[in-house]
C-alpha cells in the first residue's frame, strides 16, 4: 500500500532515536533538521520503505543515510559490526557516486574525532572503473556501505564470493530515481532488486528524487509487488515547500520585428547583466553545440568579464575536463558554467545563486530540476530565469512557468515488459544457480515493470535463450541456457557464461558517429541519433552542402549531392529535447481559453489583464502573446487541445505542404506524422517528406497535392498502432533500435574473449540478423521488443492513440484551411525546412517577411480561408 507521510516528526522524537555520538555530531553541524529529514528519518530507522521527493540541495541524501550511519555507529560502539555489506547505494552517475563517498566519509571522520578513535565503518565505490586490486581488497575488508551503479549491482549478484557479503543487506538507497524510472536502466535495476531480495531477504528500499510525477507510480517502481499487490511504501513529498523565484524574460520588446543581430546582442547583454549581479551562475542550454557557442560568444563579447572564470560542461568533453570544471565551480573559482544536460543531476557543484535557462527545458520537471541547482543552502530560494528567443518559445515557457509555480508536474512513463532486459536478467539468474522456472516467473512479476508480463512472453524469451529457435544458429546465435521442462528447471550452458555476462551487461547501447560518403569518398560524420531520423530520399546539410540520403550500411551512410534542394531534416534535430505531452496539452488549453475571449470580442486591455493574471508574465510578454494568438485567430483557425488545424500551403517555389497543427509534443507528432504519411503514400504511390516540431508537422511531396483528408478519414476506422508498426517497419530507427535490443538480449555480443566488436560490425550483424528473423520468425521476442521500443519509448503511441480516439469521438475537431502564405503558427515549422541553407539572420528575415504579408492580409484583405 502506498501512503503519504502527512506529519513531520518532532526534533525531540528524532534525537531520541539517534546514538549520542551521532546526535552530538549533528548538533555541532546543523541548527536543526531539514524538512525531508523531519518527515523521513524515523521511518528509515524503522526500516519502512520510503520515497523522498524534494528539491535538489534540500538534505535528501543525509535524510537517507543518517539512520543507516546511526545503526552502524551503534553496532561499532557495541563491537558488533560485522564484515559484510549493510547498505547498497545505487545512482545513475559514476561522478555522483564519488561525491557520495566523500559526503559519507566526512561525517564519519567528524564522528570519529568526537569518539576519539576509529569506528571502523567502511565506505567504498564499486563501478566499471574499479580495479581488480580494489575489488580483491573489498573481499577481504568489505564496505559496510557499498556505492555502485545499476549495471555493477547486476554484476556483483553474479560474483559468488562478493554475493555472499550481500546476504543480510538492510537498506538499498536508489538516488536520482526519476532519471532511472523512465528508461531501461531502471527496468534492469528493478529486476536486480528482486534478485537481491531473493538472496538477502526483505530490505528497506529508499528512493531519492527531485520533482517527479506521479509519485505513487514511482513508489511502486521502487518497492515492487508481492502477490499482485504493491508493497508498502511511505511517500515524503516536500517539493513545494522550497521557495521558487522564476521568471520568463524576453531580451527585446518585440520578438518578431527584430533583426538577428539585435536579438543576439540583447540576449548576451541580458546574460552578462544577470551573471554580473550574482556570485555564481549556472546556464543551461538544450544542446552540446549551443553550450560551446554560448561560452565562445560570452568570452568574445565580454573578455574582461568572462575570459578566465567561465567554463563549458557537457557529455562530449573528457572526464578530466568535466571534473576540472566541477572542482573549480565547487571551489568558487568560476563565475559562470554553461551546461547542456550534464549538470542536471545532483553532482556537488557548490553554491549557485542563479540558474539561467536558454530556451524551453521542454518539461516542468526538468525546469524545476535545473532551477533547483541554485539555492542549495537550507531555506535559500531557488532562483531561475528563462530567456526566450521567439514567440512559440515565449508561449511555451510562460505556460511552463505557470505549471511550475502551481505544482503541476508532467507525468513520467515507465517502460513495461521490456523483453530484451528480461533476457539479460534471466541469463544472469541461470548463471547464479539452477533455477525453478515457476519461481523465476513469480520473481520477475514482482518487479513493477513486469507486473503484467504474460506467461507467453516469458516463455518465448526462455525459448530464445534455450536455443529453441534453431534457425538462429545459422547466424551464430547459440543457446545460452539449458531447460528441463519435465522438472521445470533451467541453468547456464557455457563455462564462459559468467564472463560473457559481466562483459556485456547493461542497457546503454554503444554509440558512435556515422561516416557519410558519396560512393567511396568521405564527406563527414553525423550522429547515430540523427541517422535514426533519416528515411530514403531525406535531404540534410553537412559542411554547408545539401545531400540526399540513400541508405546506410554498418556505420556508413551513403548519400548523393542534392544541390540547392531544401533540407527535410534540420541537422540540429537529433539533439532537441521533446516537449512533454502534459505540458503540450496545457499550452493547447491556454490557446483555447484565449481564443474564447477573442471570439467574445473582449477588449485588448481585458485580454492582456487575463494573460497577466493567468501566466505570471510581464506586460511586454503579455503583449507579444496577445499579438501572436490574435494574428492566428484572424488569419486562420487557432489549433488547441480540442482542435487540430490542417493547413494546405503552397511554397514560394511551387512545392505543396500540408501543415498539421497538433500541439501534442514531438513524440506524439512523430507517431501521427509517420502514420498519416504512410497512409498518404499508400494512396498516392509516392514518398512523402516529413518535418516535425513539438507544435505540429508538415508533409510534402513536391508539387503534388496530398490527399490527406481521405487518408485521415480512413485512419479513423483503422488500428492506429498496427498502421504505425507498418510505417516504421523499414526505417532506420527500427534498424538501430533492433541493434540496441539485440545487444541487450545478448544475441549480439559487444565483447567476447577479450575482443570488442565495433559499433559498425554490430550494426552490420544486426541488419543481417533482423532480415533473417523477418523471414523465419517475424514474431521473435527481441524483434517484437524493438518495435515496442520504437513506438512506445522513442515515440508516444499511447498518447497518439488517445488523440485519435478523441478525434473519432468528436472531442477533438479537425478543420482544414488553405493559405498561400503560411499562418503565424506555421512560420517556425516552415522556416525549419530552410534552417540549414539559410543563415539564421536570413531565416528570421524570412519569418519577418511572412509576418508582414499576413498582417497586410489581416488589416486590409479578405482572409485566405
Amino acid at each position: 500500500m502506498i501512503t503519504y507521510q502527512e506529519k513531520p516528526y518532532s526534533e525531540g522524537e528524532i534525537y531520541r532515536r539517534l546514538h549520542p555520538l551521532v546526535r552530538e555530531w549533528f548538533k555541532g553541524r546543523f541548527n536543526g533538521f531539514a524538512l525531508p529529514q523531519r518527515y523521513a528519518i524515523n521511518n528509515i530507522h524503522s526500516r519502512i520503505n520510503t520515497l523522498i521527493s524534494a528539491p535538489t540541495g534540500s538534505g535528501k541524501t543525509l535524510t537517507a543515510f543518517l539512520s543507516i550511519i546511526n545503526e552502524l555507529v551503534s553496532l561499532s560502539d557495541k563491537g558488533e559490526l560485522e564484515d559484510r555489506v549493510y547498505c547498497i547505494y545505487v545512482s545513475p552517475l559514476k561522478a555522483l557516486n564519488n561525491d557520495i563517498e566523500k559526503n559519507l566519509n566526512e561525517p564519519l571522520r567528524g564522528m570519529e574525532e568526537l569518539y576519539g578513535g576509529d569506528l571502523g565503518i567502511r565506505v567504498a565505490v564499486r563501478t566499471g572503473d574499479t580495479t581488480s586490486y580494489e575489488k580483491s581488497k573489498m573481499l577481504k575488508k568489505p564496505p559496510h556501505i557499498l556505492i555502485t551503479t545499476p549495471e555493477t549491482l547486476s554484476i556483483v549478484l553474479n560474483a559468488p564470493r562478493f554475493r555472499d557479503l550481500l546476504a543480510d543487506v538492510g537498506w538499498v538507497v536508489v538516488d536520482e530515481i526519476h532519471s532511472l524510472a523512465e528508461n531501461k536502466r531502471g527496468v534492469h535495476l528493478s529486476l536486480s532488486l528482486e534478485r537481491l531480495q531473493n538472496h538477502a531477504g526483505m530490505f528497506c528500499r529508499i528512493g531519492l528524487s527531485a520533482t517527479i510525477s506521479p509519485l505513487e507510480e514511482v513508489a511502486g517502481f521502487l518497492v515492487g509487488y508481492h502477490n499482485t499487490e504493491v508493497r508498502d511504501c511511505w511517500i515524503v513529498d516536500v517539493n513545494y515547500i522550497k521557495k521558487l523565484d522564476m521568471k520568463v524574460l524576453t531580451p527585446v520588446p518585440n520578438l518578431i520585428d527584430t533583426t538577428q543581430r539585435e536579438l543576439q546582442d540583447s540576449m548576451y547583454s541580458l546574460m552578462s547583466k544577470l551573471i554580473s549581479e550574482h556570485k555564481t551562475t549556472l546556464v543551461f542550454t538544450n544542446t552540446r553545440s549551443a553550450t560551446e557557442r554560448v561560452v565562445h560568444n560570452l568570452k568574445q563579447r565580454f573578455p574582461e568579464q568572462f575570459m578566465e572564470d567561465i567554463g563549458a560542461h557537457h557529455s562530449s568533453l573528457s572526464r578530466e575536463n568535466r571534473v576540472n570544471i566541477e572542482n573549480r565551480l565547487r571551489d568558487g573559482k568560476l563565475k559562470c558554467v554553461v551546461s547542456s544536460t550534464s549538470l542536471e543531476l545532483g553532482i556537488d557543484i557548490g553554491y549557485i545563486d542563479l540558474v539561467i535557462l536558454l530556451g524551453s527545458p521542454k518539461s516542468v520537471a526538468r525546469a524545476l530540476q535545473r532551477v533547483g541547482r541554485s539555492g542549495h543552502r537550507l531555506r535559500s530560494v531557488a532562483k531561475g530565469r528563462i530567456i526566450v528567443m521567439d514567440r512559440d518559445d515565449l508561449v511555451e515557457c510562460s505556460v511552463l512557468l505557470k505549471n511550475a509555480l502551481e505544482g503541476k508536474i508532467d507525468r513520467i512513463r515507465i517502460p513495461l515488459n521490456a523483453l530484451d532486459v528480461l533476457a539479460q536478467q534471466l541469463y544472469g539468474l541461470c548463471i547464479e544457480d539452477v533455477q525453478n522456472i515457476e519461481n523465476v516467473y513469480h520473481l520477475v512479476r514482482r518487479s513493477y515493470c513486469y507486473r503484467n508480463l504474460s506467461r507467453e512472453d516469458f516463455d518465448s524469451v526462455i525459448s530464445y535463450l534455450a536455443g529453441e529457435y534453431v534457425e538462429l544458429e545459422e547466424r551464430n546465435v547459440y543457446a545460452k541456457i539449458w531447460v528441463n521442462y519435465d522438472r521445470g528447471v533451467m541453468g547456464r550452458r557455457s563455462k564462459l557464461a559468467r564472463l560473457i555476462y559481466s562483459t556485456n551487461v547493461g542497457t546503454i547501447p554503444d554509440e558512435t558517429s556515422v561516416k557519410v560518403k558519396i560512393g567511396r569518398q568521405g564527406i563527414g560524420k553525423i550522429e547515430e541519433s540523427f541517422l535514426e531520423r533519416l528515411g530514403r530520399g531525406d535531404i540534410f546539410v553537412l559542411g554547408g552542402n545539401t545531400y540526399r540520403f540513400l541508405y546506410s550500411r554498418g556505420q556508413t551512410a551513403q548519400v548523393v549531392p542534392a544541390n540547392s534542394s531544401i533540407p527535410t531534416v534540420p541537422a540540429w534535430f537529433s539533439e532537441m529535447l521533446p516537449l512533454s505531452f502534459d505540458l503540450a496539452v496545457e499550452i493547447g488549453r491556454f490557446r483555447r481559453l484565449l481564443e474564447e475571449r477573442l471570439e467574445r470580442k473582449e477588449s485588448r486591455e481585458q485580454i492582456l489583464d487575463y494573460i497577466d493574471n493567468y501566466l505570471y508574465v510581464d506586460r511586454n510578454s503579455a503583449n507579444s502573446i496577445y499579438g501572436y494568438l490574435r494574428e492566428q485567430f484572424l488569419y486562420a483557425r487557432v489549433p488547441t487541445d480540442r482542435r487540430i488545424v490542417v493547413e494546405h500551403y503552397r511554397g514560394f517555389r511551387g512545392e505543396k505542404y500540408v501543415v498539421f497543427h497538433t500541439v501534442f509534443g514531438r513524440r506524439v507528432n512523430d507517431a501521427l506524422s509517420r502514420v498519416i504519411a504512410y497512409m498518404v503514400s499508400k494512396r498516392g504511390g509516392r514518398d512523402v517528406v516529413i518535418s516535425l516540431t513539438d507544435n505540429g508537422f508538415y508533409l510534402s511531396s513536391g508539387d503534388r497535392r496530398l490527399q490527406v483528408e481521405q487518408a485521415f478519414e480512413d485512419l479513423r476506422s483503422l488500428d492506429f498502432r498496427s498502421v504505425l508498426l507498418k510505417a516504421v517497419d523499414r526505417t532506420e530507427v527500427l534498424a538501430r533500435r533492433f541493434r540496441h535490443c539485440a545487444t541487450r538480449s545478448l544475441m549480439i555480443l559487444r565483447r567476447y574473449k577479450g575482443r570488442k566488436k565495433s559499433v559498425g560490425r554490430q550494426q552490420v550483424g544486426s541488419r543481417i540478423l533482423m532480415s533473417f528473423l523477418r523471414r523465419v520468425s517475424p514474431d521473435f521476442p527481441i524483434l517484437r521488443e524493438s518495435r515496442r521500443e520504437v513506438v512506445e519509448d522513442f515515440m508516444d503511441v499511447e498518447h497518439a492513440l488517445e488523440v485519435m480516439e478523441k478525434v473519432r469521438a468528436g472531442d477533438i475537431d479537425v478543420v482544414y484551411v488553405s493559405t498561400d502564405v503560411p499562418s503565424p503558427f506555421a512560420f517556425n515549422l516552415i522556416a525549419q525546412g530552410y534552417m540549414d541553407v539559410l543563415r539564421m539572420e536570413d531565416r528570421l528575415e524570412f519569418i519577418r517577411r511572412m509576418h508582414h504579408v499576413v498582417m497586410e492580409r489581416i488589416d486590409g484583405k479578405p482572409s485566405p480561408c
Side-chain angles (χ1 to χ4, degrees):
M1 189 168 122
I2 307 296
T3 311
Y4 279 84
Q5 177 77 26
E6 299 290 348
K7 294 179 181 179
Y9 292 95
S10 70
E11 298 211 341
E13 288 176 296
I14 302 172
Y15 278 130
R16 280 195 293 274
R17 293 284 189 105
L18 297 182
H19 185 278
L21 190 61
V22 178
R23 190 187 312 140
E24 185 181 353
W25 172 83
F26 189 89
K27 286 184 173 180
R29 287 289 308 274
F30 303 101
N31 293 325
F33 293 102
L35 274 166
Q37 293 160 3
R38 290 189 60 196
Y39 278 85
I41 284 176
N42 279 9
N43 288 350
I44 295 168
H45 183 88
S46 301
R47 303 204 182 194
I48 296 170
N49 295 329
T50 305
L51 172 66
I52 304 167
S53 179
T56 309
S58 59
K60 290 194 297 291
T61 307
L62 187 57
T63 304
F65 277 115
L66 198 62
S67 289
I68 298 166
I69 290 173
N70 185 67
E71 179 140 339
L72 295 177
V73 168
S74 298
L75 290 171
S76 174
D77 192 27
K78 291 184 283 188
E80 297 174 1
L81 193 63
E82 299 175 18
D83 281 340
R84 62 178 179 84
V85 177
Y86 286 82
C87 170
I88 300 174
Y89 168 92
V90 182
S91 94
L93 291 179
K94 293 178 185 176
L96 188 52
N97 283 337
N98 293 326
D99 269 354
I100 293 297
E101 184 182 24
K102 291 177 190 172
N103 292 340
L104 282 175
N105 280 324
E106 182 186 334
L108 288 172
R109 298 295 83 80
M111 290 175 201
E112 285 179 338
E113 287 178 17
L114 294 171
Y115 184 65
D118 185 4
L119 288 167
I121 299 170
R122 295 184 295 270
V123 179
V125 175
R126 179 162 175 163
T127 68
D129 294 336
T130 306
T131 65
S132 298
Y133 172 69
E134 289 169 324
K135 290 175 187 174
S136 65
K137 276 177 60 180
M138 288 184 199
L139 288 172
K140 293 171 185 172
K141 286 196 170 182
H144 300 109
I145 299 176
L146 173 67
I147 299 170
T148 191
T149 61
E151 293 75 20
T152 301
L153 176 59
S154 68
I155 291 172
V156 299
L157 286 170
N158 280 105
R161 291 175 64 196
F162 199 90
R163 187 172 69 235
D164 290 343
L165 302 174
L166 308 179
D168 282 311
V169 164
W171 301 270
V172 173
V173 180
V174 182
D175 203 353
E176 305 288 355
I177 196 170
H178 55 281
S179 73
L180 291 169
E182 56 185 343
N183 57 56
K184 286 188 174 180
R185 289 186 82 194
V187 176
H188 196 266
L189 175 63
S190 75
L191 285 175
S192 291
L193 292 179
E194 295 309 325
R195 289 177 60 190
L196 177 64
Q197 182 163 309
N198 257 27
H199 178 65
M202 294 292 285
F203 51 83
C204 175
R205 305 185 190 208
I206 306 157
L208 307 180
S209 175
T211 308
I212 196 170
S213 177
L215 283 171
E216 295 88 346
E217 196 167 338
V218 179
F221 167 79
L222 171 68
V223 299
Y225 276 61
H226 180 68
N227 291 335
T228 72
E229 296 290 331
V230 68
R231 294 187 181 106
D232 290 343
C233 184
W234 287 78
I235 295 174
V236 171
D237 180 15
V238 292
N239 261 306
Y240 289 96
I241 298 167
K242 188 168 184 178
K243 292 182 180 177
L244 287 171
D245 175 7
M246 290 175 65
K247 291 180 182 176
V248 173
L249 304 176
T250 54
V252 293
N254 189 319
L255 286 168
I256 197 74
D257 280 321
T258 305
T259 67
Q260 171 66 9
R261 172 169 287 185
E262 290 169 342
L263 193 58
Q264 291 291 307
D265 288 348
S266 298
M267 182 194 80
Y268 283 111
S269 294
L270 174 59
M271 287 182 66
S272 172
K273 179 176 181 294
L274 288 169
I275 293 166
S276 66
E277 291 171 351
H278 295 83
K279 182 177 181 291
T280 311
T281 300
L282 179 57
V283 180
F284 280 105
T285 69
N286 285 339
T287 65
R288 295 185 294 275
S289 55
T291 295
E292 296 287 359
R293 187 168 62 248
V294 168
V295 171
H296 173 76
N297 273 292
L298 285 172
K299 283 184 174 181
Q300 290 290 312
R301 291 166 183 263
F302 309 100
E304 293 183 4
Q305 185 179 357
F306 292 114
M307 193 50 72
E308 297 299 328
D309 55 0
I310 187 171
H313 191 287
H314 56 75
S315 57
S316 294
L317 293 171
S318 68
R319 183 179 182 276
E320 291 73 18
N321 275 336
R322 293 199 308 272
V323 170
N324 178 48
I325 291 294
E326 291 160 19
N327 288 337
R328 291 171 65 198
L329 188 56
R330 192 182 298 118
D331 295 340
K333 294 177 181 177
L334 288 174
K335 181 78 173 170
C336 174
V337 168
V338 185
S339 171
S340 52
T341 59
S342 53
L343 287 179
E344 282 183 356
L345 297 182
I347 299 169
D348 180 14
I349 52 174
Y351 182 70
I352 307 290
D353 53 349
L354 176 68
V355 170
I356 296 174
L357 311 184
L358 289 183
S360 172
K362 298 296 179 180
S363 82
V364 177
R366 185 176 287 111
L368 291 169
Q369 174 82 0
R370 290 178 171 184
V371 172
R373 298 313 318 262
S374 67
H376 271 210
R377 292 172 186 150
L378 291 180
R379 288 171 282 279
S380 289
V381 174
K383 188 173 185 180
R385 298 292 181 262
I386 308 174
I387 299 178
V388 298
M389 301 293 280
D390 65 44
R391 299 191 296 179
D392 280 334
D393 229 17
L394 173 59
V395 174
E396 184 177 308
C397 290
S398 298
V399 175
L400 182 150
L401 174 61
K402 173 186 174 62
N403 285 4
L405 294 174
E406 295 180 359
K408 296 178 183 175
I409 311 299
D410 336 79
R411 294 165 297 169
I412 67 159
R413 184 191 166 278
I414 298 171
L416 301 177
N417 301 327
L419 301 183
D420 52 349
V421 177
L422 177 62
Q424 188 180 127
Q425 288 278 19
L426 289 180
Y427 189 39
L429 276 161
C430 289
I431 294 166
E432 191 180 307
D433 206 348
V434 173
Q435 300 290 339
N436 178 285
I437 295 172
E438 198 66 32
N439 291 346
V440 170
Y441 179 55
H442 290 300
L443 179 153
V444 169
R445 281 170 54 99
R446 295 201 315 246
S447 157
Y448 181 89
C449 305
Y450 294 95
R451 65 194 187 279
N452 298 318
L453 179 72
S454 70
R455 186 58 189 251
E456 182 182 5
D457 281 346
F458 176 78
D459 288 342
S460 72
V461 174
I462 288 180
S463 295
Y464 145 60
L465 290 171
E468 292 170 20
Y469 294 86
V470 291
E471 305 92 342
L472 285 173
E473 291 192 6
E474 296 177 35
R475 301 264 63 90
N476 300 317
V477 179
Y478 300 102
K480 293 173 177 59
I481 66 173
W482 56 261
V483 179
N484 185 321
Y485 288 107
D486 292 333
R487 291 173 51 215
V489 294
M490 59 184 179
R492 70 176 186 184
R493 184 181 284 263
S494 167
K495 291 180 181 179
L496 293 174
R498 185 169 284 112
L499 178 63
I500 290 171
Y501 184 79
S502 63
T503 53
N504 288 277
V505 77
T507 61
I508 303 171
D510 292 338
E511 296 281 358
T512 188
S513 56
V514 176
K515 295 175 184 174
V516 180
K517 292 184 176 181
I518 300 174
R520 294 184 177 180
Q521 179 190 352
I523 304 298
K525 293 181 179 180
I526 57 176
E527 294 176 355
E528 264 206 304
S529 53
F530 180 63
L531 180 65
E532 283 188 346
R533 292 283 177 181
L534 296 178
R536 186 177 180 87
D538 269 338
I539 296 164
F540 65 97
V541 172
L542 183 62
N545 298 311
T546 52
Y547 300 96
R548 187 183 303 276
F549 174 68
L550 299 178
Y551 62 89
S552 72
R553 183 170 291 130
Q555 294 305 102
T556 301
Q558 286 291 337
V559 301
V560 292
N563 301 321
S564 57
S565 299
I566 297 167
T568 58
V569 182
W572 46 266
F573 194 82
S574 63
E575 286 191 324
M576 291 296 288
L577 296 167
L579 181 68
S580 73
F581 177 75
D582 291 342
L583 181 55
V585 170
E586 284 295 312
I587 292 166
R589 179 172 178 270
F590 168 68
R591 289 178 177 183
R592 173 168 52 84
L593 294 174
L594 207 66
E595 183 193 38
E596 289 171 359
R597 281 161 174 77
L598 289 166
E599 286 174 338
R600 291 200 296 266
K601 295 185 168 45
E602 289 185 9
S603 69
R604 175 190 179 89
E605 285 305 311
Q606 285 177 307
I607 295 176
L608 286 175
D609 286 342
Y610 172 76
I611 295 172
D612 283 342
N613 293 328
Y614 188 85
L615 289 181
Y616 311 97
V617 296
D618 62 19
R619 205 65 168 182
N620 272 349
S621 298
N623 266 308
S624 290
I625 292 168
Y626 168 78
Y628 191 31
L629 269 293
R630 179 177 175 273
E631 289 163 23
Q632 180 72 20
F633 172 75
L634 294 174
Y635 186 71
R637 301 293 298 276
V638 177
T640 71
D641 59 329
R642 296 182 186 172
R643 180 188 300 134
I644 293 172
V645 176
V646 182
E647 178 180 352
H648 286 272
Y649 158 66
R650 180 186 289 273
F652 66 86
R653 291 179 178 174
E655 63 271 54
K656 293 180 179 177
Y657 298 94
V658 184
V659 181
F660 285 76
H661 296 275
T662 47
V663 58
F664 301 117
R666 196 172 77 225
R667 292 176 61 234
V668 171
N669 288 342
D670 201 348
L672 291 172
S673 65
R674 288 180 192 258
V675 165
I676 296 169
Y678 176 79
M679 299 288 293
V680 169
S681 64
K682 258 188 83 177
R683 279 186 149 271
R686 289 185 65 173
D687 286 340
V688 177
V689 168
I690 303 171
S691 187
L692 62 108
T693 67
D694 288 307
N695 294 326
F697 58 92
Y698 73 64
L699 308 180
S700 177
S701 187
D703 58 359
R704 282 184 65 177
R705 182 180 174 91
L706 299 175
Q707 302 300 317
V708 296
E709 290 90 340
Q710 190 56 53
F712 212 46
E713 283 303 311
D714 292 347
L715 190 57
R716 291 174 188 247
S717 60
L718 295 174
D719 182 336
F720 183 90
R721 187 187 180 99
S722 298
V723 178
L724 179 59
L725 288 169
K726 290 175 184 174
V728 302
D729 191 53
R730 303 288 169 175
T731 59
E732 277 296 323
V733 65
L734 181 61
R736 299 276 149 184
R737 297 291 164 141
F738 176 76
R739 185 193 92 221
H740 298 172
C741 294
T743 53
R744 283 190 203 104
S745 61
L746 309 177
M747 294 183 76
I748 295 173
L749 300 180
R750 294 178 288 179
R751 294 169 187 83
Y752 184 65
K753 291 185 176 179
R755 293 183 179 180
K756 183 176 179 180
K757 184 178 285 190
S758 70
V759 178
R761 288 185 62 207
Q762 290 176 34
Q763 189 62 37
V764 169
S766 71
R767 276 188 182 276
I768 295 169
L769 189 56
M770 185 166 72
S771 298
F772 180 78
L773 284 171
R774 278 179 171 144
R775 293 196 309 273
V776 302
S777 184
D779 200 40
F780 185 72
I782 308 308
L783 189 52
R784 274 191 288 125
E785 172 57 25
S786 306
R787 297 181 184 121
R788 187 212 63 79
E789 182 177 314
V790 169
V791 301
E792 292 183 11
D793 302 346
F794 179 69
M795 299 176 195
D796 186 355
V797 68
E798 179 186 340
H799 286 121
L801 276 165
E802 184 181 316
V803 170
M804 286 308 303
E805 284 301 319
K806 288 183 176 180
V807 168
R808 290 189 186 106
D811 297 327
I812 294 179
D813 294 329
V814 181
V815 298
Y816 297 89
V817 300
S818 295
T819 61
D820 57 355
V821 175
S823 68
F825 281 13
F827 287 175
N828 276 328
L829 186 55
I830 296 296
Q832 175 178 282
Y834 301 95
M835 181 172 280
D836 286 318
V837 289
L838 290 177
R839 293 178 304 166
M840 182 60 81
E841 51 265 43
D842 294 335
R843 175 178 171 269
L844 290 180
E845 180 58 32
F846 175 69
I847 290 176
R848 201 158 43 246
R849 286 205 314 271
M850 289 194 292
H851 174 254
H852 289 155
V853 173
V854 166
M855 293 309 295
E856 287 172 6
R857 298 280 174 86
I858 289 171
D859 292 340
K861 297 182 181 180
S863 168
C865 49

